[in-house]
Amino acid sequence: MSDNESKAKLIECAKKEFLEKGFAKASLRKITSDAGLTTGAVYFFFRDKNGLFGAVVEEAIEGLKKLLTEHYADDMEEDFSEYVHVTGDHDELAKKLVDLIYDNYDVMMILFDKAHGSEYENVVDSVIALLESENLKTAEKYAKAFPGKRVNKYMLHYLSHVQVDAFEHLLSHESNRERALEHIKPVMDMFITTFMNYILEDDEV
Amino acid sequence: MSDNESKAKLIECAKKEFLEKGFAKASLRKITSDAGLTTGAVYFFFRDKNGLFGAVVEEAIEGLKKLLTEHYADDMEEDFSEYVHVTGDHDELAKKLVDLIYDNYDVMMILFDKAHGSEYENVVDSVIALLESENLKTAEKYAKAFPGKRVNKYMLHYLSHVQVDAFEHLLSHESNRERALEHIKPVMDMFITTFMNYILEDDEV
Amino acid sequence: MSDNESKAKLIECAKKEFLEKGFAKASLRKITSDAGLTTGAVYFFFRDKNGLFGAVVEEAIEGLKKLLTEHYADDMEEDFSEYVHVTGDHDELAKKLVDLIYDNYDVMMILFDKAHGSEYENVVDSVIALLESENLKTAEKYAKAFPGKRVNKYMLHYLSHVQVDAFEHLLSHESNRERALEHIKPVMDMFITTFMNYILEDDEV
Amino acid sequence: MSDNESKAKLIECAKKEFLEKGFAKASLRKITSDAGLTTGAVYFFFRDKNGLFGAVVEEAIEGLKKLLTEHYADDMEEDFSEYVHVTGDHDELAKKLVDLIYDNYDVMMILFDKAHGSEYENVVDSVIALLESENLKTAEKYAKAFPGKRVNKYMLHYLSHVQVDAFEHLLSHESNRERALEHIKPVMDMFITTFMNYILEDDEV
DNA sequence: TATGAATGAGATTTCATTCAT
DNA sequence: CATGAATGAAATCTCATTCAT
C-alpha cells in the first residue's frame, strides 16, 4: 500500500471513530483495524494517539485561525464609526465561517464536542478568547461615545461565548449548508443588536 | 458504620471524583477508598457506576424539573398579553433558578459538563427540550398578534439553547451567588428582547 | 484462594522470574500465569511492577540495613586503638553478613545484579556509601597516629567497593554457606591488612 | 552517502545510545534517526541489533585480548623468581591497560556495564577467566617454593575478579587518564602483595 | 545503498464488575 | 453491611524485524 493511501485511510477512520466516541474513548484498535492495519502503524505515521488526532484536526484549525486573524487584521484598517458597516462585516464573516465550517463538517464537530482529553481540548476556548479580545476593541471604541458608561466585562465574555456557541449549535442542528446560512444571519444580527444594547454598564463602583 | 453514613460518604466522595474527572474517567477505586470502603460497597448500595452517579445527581434534577414544571403550570393560568408581566416572570424564575443551581453547585457543574458517558448525559438536552416546548407555547400566542408571521423553529430551538447555556456559563464563570444574580438579569432581559424581535419569521415558503 | 496464599505465590514466582530475567525484562504475564492468576492480581496486591519487586526485596534490605547500622552503632562505643579488636569485629560482622545473605540467597542475588530499572537499582550503591562513611571514620582515627599522612579518598571508596564486591562474588560463586564462611574470612583479613597499608597517602598537594 | 560514512555514523550513534540505555533498552529507531538513516539500514550493514553492538565493541575487545595474550606470552619467556621483576611487570601492564581502556572509554564502559542482553554480556567474565588462568600459572610456580602449601582456588578466582573490577571501578570513578594512572598503581601494588600473602593455603583436606 | 511501510508480539497498566464469605 | 480477591477485557504504546522497491 502506498504512503498516502494508508495514512489517509488511517486519518479517515480516525475521524469517524473520534466523531463517534470522542478522543478519550476512541479505540486505536478499532481505527487501525477499520483501516486494515495494526496499531503499530499509528505509531509509524504519527507520534501517538494525540498525533493522530492532530492529523485529523490541524488543517481545519489552521484554516479557522487564518480566516479570523485575516478578517480582524482587515478590520483594523477600516472605519468603525458606522453601525451599518459593522453589520456588513459580520455578515461577510458569517458566510466565510459557515463555508469553512461546513467544508470541515466532521472535524468541526469533533473540535466542538469530542476533543476532551486531547491536546486540542482548549481550541474552542482559544477561539472564544480571540473573539473576546476583538470584541473588546470594538466595545471600547463604542464606549467612548457614551460618557459615564464602561464595558461590562462579564457580558463581553458571555457574548463572545454565545457567538461561538451559535456556530456550534448551527453545526449540530443543521446539516444543510444553505439552510445554515439562512439560520445564522438573524443570529448574527441579533448578536450585534444585543452587543449594542448590553455591552455597556454604568460607570460606578 | 451505619447504612446512611456509608452511603452518604460514598455519594459525597463520588461527587468530588465525578466533578474532577467526569463520569467516564472517574475511578470507583478512588471513590470507595476515599470513603474508607471498597469497590464492592458501590454494588451493595447502588446498581453500578451509573447508579452511583444517579444518587449523586437525581435529587438536583428532580428539583430543577419540579421548579420548571411548577413555574410553567402557574404561567398557564396567567395572562400573557402584557409584555411587562412576562419580564417580571422571568426575573422571578431567574432568581429561583440561580438559587437552585447555586444550592447544588457541584452537582450542576457535573450535569453540565461531566456526565459524558453516563445515563444522564442528555439531561441538559431534556431541560432544553422542556424549555423549548414552553417557549413554543409563548411564541405561538405571540404569533397570533402578528398575521402573516409564524414561529421560526430554528430560532426557537436556538434561543432555548442559549437560555440554558446562559446558566451553564454563569455557573462556570461566577462562583459567587450574588454576583451571579446581577449577571443573569441583563442576560434574561436580553433573552426576552431577542425573543420578541427574532422569534417570528415571514409566513412564506 | 486465601489472601496469603495468592500473595505469597505471586512473590515466590516473581522472585524466580526477577532472578532469571532481571527486573526490566521480567514479564508480569509470566509471573502471574505461573502463580495461576492474571496480571490484574499484581495490581490488586501491589502497587505495580515496582511494588511487586519491593515485596520480594524489602524485608531482606531492611535486615541488611538493620544489621549494619546496629553493628556500627555498637562500634562507636568501643575502643579502636587495638588492631586485633578491629579484626575480631570484622570476623563477627562477616559471619552475621554471610548468615543474612545466605538466608536470603535469591533476593540478594537479585539485588546485586538484577535490580536494574527498578526503584531499588541503587541499593548496592547505598550500602557501599554506608560502608564508606564508616570506613572513613576508622581511617581518620587511624590517620591521627601518622603525622604527615592523610586519607586517600579514592582508595577509601575503592576498598569499600571491594568489600561489598567480596560478598557479591561470594554469593555468585559459592552456594554453600559453610564454604562461603571459610572463603570470606581470609578475604576480610586481606581487606583489613590492605586497609592498613594503603588507606593513607602523603599529605602533600 | 558513502558506505563507510553511513556505517561509521551508525556505529557512532549506536555507541552513544548503548552507553546511555544499555543494549536491551537501546532503541534502533533512536540510533538510526540520530544517524539520519532508517531502521532498515542497520539490517543492511549489520546482521541485527547484536551485529551492530558487535561493530561498536569488537575492535576494542580484540585490542584488549591481544594486549593481554601478548603480555602473557612475553611473560612466559621471562624469569619469575624475583619479586621486584613481577612488580615492574604489573606496572607496565597497568599503564598499557589504562591507555587502552581510556583510548576506548565509551566502549569499555559499555562492555563493563551495558552489555546485558547482548551476545557480549560475558566478555568481562572471559577476561577474568583469561587473567585467572595466567594468575594460576604464576601461583603454581610460586607454590613450588612453599612445600605444604597449595593454591587457594577460590582466592585465585576472587583476586582475578578484583583485578578486573579495579579497572571497572577506575573507569567509572575517574574520567581523567593521568589521575587514573596514579590511582591504579597502588591498587596494582596492593593486588600483588595480597596475591603473595593470600594465594596459598595449607595443603590439607 | 538504503528507504519506508508495516507487522506482530509483546509490554504495563486500568477498570468496572462479580461473588463467596 | 461490606470486604477482599480476582477476573477479563481493554487500553496505549514500544520494538526488533522484514521486505519490496
Side-chain angles (χ1 to χ4, degrees):
Chain A
M1 217 182 278
S2 92
D3 178 357
N4 280 353
E5 223 173 308
S6 287
K7 196 172 174 179
K9 197 152 205 177
L10 233 27
I11 291 176
E12 180 201 327
C13 296
K15 196 188 289 180
K16 209 170 287 177
E17 175 79 353
F18 285 138
L19 191 57
E20 212 172 292
K21 310 250 187 71
F23 175 81
K25 289 254 156 187
S27 158
L28 289 186
R29 280 235 260 266
K30 178 82 167 62
I31 290 168
T32 49
S33 84
D34 281 359
L37 298 169
T38 57
T39 53
V42 165
Y43 296 86
F44 173 73
F45 288 110
F46 312 97
R47 199 180 0 105
D48 54 10
K49 199 188 190 185
N50 261 303
L52 175 57
F53 192 85
V56 169
V57 130
E58 205 129 80
E59 196 183 318
I61 292 177
E62 289 314 307
L64 179 61
K65 291 204 169 158
K66 195 177 159 219
L67 192 156
L68 289 176
T69 51
E70 282 178 3
H71 173 81
Y72 285 113
D74 291 352
D75 259 18
M76 288 302 90
E77 299 159 15
E78 295 181 21
D79 181 5
F80 274 81
S81 55
E82 293 173 51
Y83 174 98
V84 180
H85 191 175
V86 175
T87 311
D89 237 41
H90 275 274
D91 267 8
E92 192 193 341
L93 178 58
K95 186 177 171 5
K96 280 188 200 161
L97 280 170
V98 167
D99 275 342
L100 180 75
I101 287 173
Y102 280 80
D103 282 345
N104 300 279
Y105 194 90
D106 288 349
V107 173
M108 288 297 164
M109 287 289 263
I110 290 170
L111 282 175
F112 272 131
D113 208 38
K114 309 289 188 176
H116 221 284
S118 79
E119 287 167 357
Y120 295 82
E121 62 182 358
N122 296 316
V123 162
V124 173
D125 287 344
S126 75
V127 170
I128 292 174
L130 198 160
L131 237 54
E132 191 176 349
S133 80
E134 297 297 338
N135 286 334
L136 177 59
K137 289 178 197 161
T138 308
E140 277 173 345
K141 282 182 190 164
Y142 186 60
K144 281 184 187 161
F146 298 86
K149 297 275 189 181
R150 67 176 175 205
V151 176
N152 179 335
K153 291 290 171 61
Y154 179 83
M155 213 63 183
L156 175 74
H157 185 47
Y158 174 63
L159 286 175
S160 305
H161 206 135
V162 165
Q163 221 178 344
V164 171
D165 280 356
F167 285 91
E168 181 179 352
H169 187 261
L170 189 68
L171 204 61
S172 51
H173 288 84
E174 181 56 73
S175 60
N176 179 273
R177 185 194 300 237
E178 280 70 38
R179 280 199 297 276
L181 202 52
E182 271 172 52
H183 291 324
I184 202 68
K185 277 181 184 166
V187 171
M188 291 302 277
D189 187 30
M190 179 205 84
F191 168 73
I192 294 159
T193 307
T194 305
F195 189 89
M196 299 288 169
N197 291 338
Y198 293 94
I199 201 61
L200 300 184
E201 63 183 347
D202 289 342
D203 194 3
E204 300 158 6
V205 178
Chain B
M1 215 183 283
S2 90
D3 182 348
N4 279 353
E5 220 174 311
S6 288
K7 197 170 174 180
K9 199 151 205 178
L10 232 27
I11 291 176
E12 180 200 327
C13 296
K15 194 189 290 181
K16 209 172 285 177
E17 175 78 355
F18 286 136
L19 189 57
E20 216 172 289
K21 309 248 185 71
F23 176 80
K25 291 250 156 189
S27 159
L28 287 188
R29 275 244 254 275
K30 177 85 167 61
I31 290 168
T32 50
S33 86
D34 281 359
L37 300 168
T38 59
T39 51
V42 166
Y43 295 85
F44 176 75
F45 288 110
F46 312 96
R47 195 183 1 112
D48 55 9
K49 200 188 190 185
N50 262 302
L52 175 58
F53 191 85
V56 169
V57 130
E58 208 127 77
E59 192 182 321
I61 293 178
E62 289 315 309
L64 179 60
K65 291 202 169 161
K66 194 178 161 216
L67 191 155
L68 288 175
T69 50
E70 282 179 2
H71 173 82
Y72 285 113
D74 291 353
D75 260 16
M76 287 303 91
E77 299 159 15
E78 295 182 18
D79 179 5
F80 274 81
S81 56
E82 292 173 52
Y83 175 99
V84 180
H85 192 175
V86 176
T87 311
D89 236 41
H90 275 275
D91 266 9
E92 193 192 340
L93 177 59
K95 188 175 172 2
K96 281 187 200 160
L97 280 170
V98 167
D99 275 341
L100 180 75
I101 288 174
Y102 280 80
D103 282 344
N104 299 279
Y105 194 90
D106 288 349
V107 172
M108 288 297 164
M109 287 288 263
I110 290 171
L111 283 174
F112 273 132
D113 208 36
K114 309 288 185 177
H116 221 285
S118 80
E119 289 167 355
Y120 294 82
E121 62 183 357
N122 296 317
V123 160
V124 173
D125 288 344
S126 74
V127 170
I128 292 174
L130 197 160
L131 236 53
E132 192 176 349
S133 79
E134 298 297 338
N135 285 334
L136 177 59
K137 291 176 196 163
T138 308
E140 277 172 346
K141 283 184 190 165
Y142 186 60
K144 283 183 185 162
F146 297 87
K149 297 276 187 181
R150 68 175 175 205
V151 175
N152 179 334
K153 292 290 173 60
Y154 178 83
M155 212 63 182
L156 176 74
H157 184 49
Y158 175 62
L159 285 176
S160 305
H161 205 136
V162 165
Q163 220 178 345
V164 171
D165 279 357
F167 286 90
E168 179 180 354
H169 188 262
L170 190 68
L171 203 63
S172 53
H173 288 82
E174 182 58 73
S175 61
N176 178 274
R177 184 193 299 236
E178 280 70 38
R179 280 199 297 275
L181 203 52
E182 272 171 50
H183 291 324
I184 203 67
K185 277 181 183 166
V187 171
M188 292 302 278
D189 187 29
M190 178 202 86
F191 168 74
I192 295 161
T193 308
T194 304
F195 190 89
M196 299 287 168
N197 292 337
Y198 293 95
I199 202 61
L200 301 183
E201 63 183 346
D202 289 343
D203 194 2
E204 301 156 8
V205 177
Chain C
M1 216 182 281
S2 92
D3 178 357
N4 280 353
E5 221 173 310
S6 287
K7 196 171 175 179
K9 198 153 204 177
L10 232 26
I11 290 177
E12 179 201 327
C13 296
K15 197 189 287 180
K16 208 171 286 177
E17 175 78 355
F18 286 137
L19 191 57
E20 212 171 292
K21 310 249 187 72
F23 175 80
K25 290 254 157 189
S27 160
L28 290 186
R29 283 234 259 265
K30 178 83 165 61
I31 291 168
T32 50
S33 83
D34 282 359
L37 299 169
T38 58
T39 52
V42 166
Y43 295 86
F44 174 74
F45 287 111
F46 312 97
R47 198 180 1 108
D48 54 11
K49 199 187 191 186
N50 260 302
L52 175 57
F53 191 85
V56 170
V57 130
E58 205 127 79
E59 194 182 319
I61 292 177
E62 289 314 307
L64 179 60
K65 291 204 169 159
K66 193 175 159 221
L67 193 156
L68 289 176
T69 50
E70 281 179 3
H71 173 82
Y72 285 114
D74 290 354
D75 260 19
M76 287 304 88
E77 297 159 16
E78 295 182 19
D79 180 5
F80 275 80
S81 56
E82 291 173 53
Y83 174 98
V84 180
H85 191 176
V86 175
T87 311
D89 236 41
H90 276 274
D91 267 9
E92 190 193 342
L93 177 58
K95 185 172 171 11
K96 281 187 199 161
L97 280 171
V98 168
D99 276 341
L100 181 74
I101 286 173
Y102 279 80
D103 283 344
N104 301 278
Y105 194 90
D106 288 349
V107 172
M108 287 297 166
M109 287 289 262
I110 290 171
L111 282 175
F112 272 132
D113 207 37
K114 309 289 186 175
H116 220 285
S118 79
E119 287 167 355
Y120 296 82
E121 62 183 356
N122 296 317
V123 161
V124 173
D125 287 345
S126 74
V127 170
I128 293 174
L130 198 159
L131 237 54
E132 191 175 350
S133 80
E134 298 297 337
N135 286 333
L136 178 59
K137 290 177 198 163
T138 309
E140 277 173 345
K141 283 182 191 165
Y142 187 60
K144 281 185 188 160
F146 297 87
K149 297 275 187 181
R150 66 174 176 205
V151 176
N152 179 335
K153 292 288 171 62
Y154 178 84
M155 213 64 183
L156 175 73
H157 184 49
Y158 175 63
L159 286 176
S160 304
H161 204 136
V162 165
Q163 218 177 344
V164 171
D165 279 357
F167 285 90
E168 180 179 352
H169 187 262
L170 190 67
L171 203 62
S172 53
H173 289 83
E174 182 57 72
S175 60
N176 179 273
R177 184 192 301 236
E178 280 69 39
R179 280 200 296 276
L181 202 52
E182 271 173 51
H183 291 324
I184 203 66
K185 278 181 183 165
V187 171
M188 291 302 278
D189 187 29
M190 177 204 86
F191 168 74
I192 295 161
T193 309
T194 305
F195 190 89
M196 300 288 170
N197 291 339
Y198 292 96
I199 203 60
L200 301 183
E201 62 184 349
D202 288 342
D203 193 4
E204 300 159 7
V205 177
Chain D
M1 215 183 281
S2 90
D3 181 348
N4 280 353
E5 220 174 311
S6 288
K7 198 170 173 178
K9 198 151 206 179
L10 232 27
I11 291 176
E12 180 200 327
C13 295
K15 195 189 291 181
K16 208 170 288 177
E17 176 77 355
F18 286 137
L19 190 56
E20 217 171 288
K21 310 247 186 73
F23 176 80
K25 290 250 156 191
S27 158
L28 287 188
R29 274 246 255 274
K30 177 83 167 63
I31 290 168
T32 50
S33 84
D34 281 359
L37 300 169
T38 58
T39 49
V42 166
Y43 294 84
F44 176 76
F45 288 111
F46 312 96
R47 195 183 0 112
D48 56 9
K49 199 187 190 185
N50 262 302
L52 175 57
F53 191 85
V56 169
V57 130
E58 208 127 77
E59 194 183 319
I61 293 177
E62 289 315 308
L64 179 61
K65 291 202 168 160
K66 195 178 159 217
L67 192 154
L68 288 175
T69 51
E70 283 180 0
H71 174 82
Y72 285 112
D74 290 355
D75 259 18
M76 289 301 90
E77 299 159 15
E78 295 182 18
D79 180 5
F80 275 79
S81 56
E82 292 173 50
Y83 175 99
V84 181
H85 191 175
V86 176
T87 312
D89 236 39
H90 275 274
D91 267 8
E92 192 192 342
L93 177 59
K95 186 175 172 6
K96 280 188 201 162
L97 280 171
V98 167
D99 275 341
L100 180 74
I101 287 173
Y102 279 80
D103 283 344
N104 301 278
Y105 194 91
D106 288 349
V107 173
M108 288 298 166
M109 287 287 263
I110 291 170
L111 283 174
F112 273 131
D113 207 37
K114 309 287 185 177
H116 221 286
S118 80
E119 289 167 356
Y120 294 82
E121 61 183 358
N122 297 317
V123 161
V124 173
D125 288 344
S126 75
V127 170
I128 292 174
L130 197 159
L131 235 54
E132 190 175 350
S133 80
E134 298 297 337
N135 285 333
L136 177 60
K137 291 177 197 164
T138 308
E140 277 172 345
K141 284 184 189 163
Y142 187 60
K144 283 184 186 162
F146 297 87
K149 297 276 190 181
R150 67 175 176 204
V151 176
N152 178 336
K153 291 289 171 63
Y154 177 83
M155 212 64 181
L156 175 73
H157 184 50
Y158 175 63
L159 284 175
S160 305
H161 206 136
V162 165
Q163 219 177 345
V164 172
D165 279 357
F167 285 91
E168 179 180 353
H169 187 261
L170 191 65
L171 203 61
S172 51
H173 289 82
E174 181 58 72
S175 60
N176 179 273
R177 183 193 301 237
E178 279 69 39
R179 279 198 298 274
L181 203 52
E182 273 172 50
H183 291 323
I184 203 66
K185 279 181 182 167
V187 171
M188 291 302 279
D189 187 29
M190 176 203 85
F191 168 75
I192 295 160
T193 308
T194 305
F195 190 88
M196 299 289 169
N197 290 339
Y198 293 96
I199 203 61
L200 301 183
E201 62 183 349
D202 288 344
D203 194 4
E204 301 158 7
V205 177

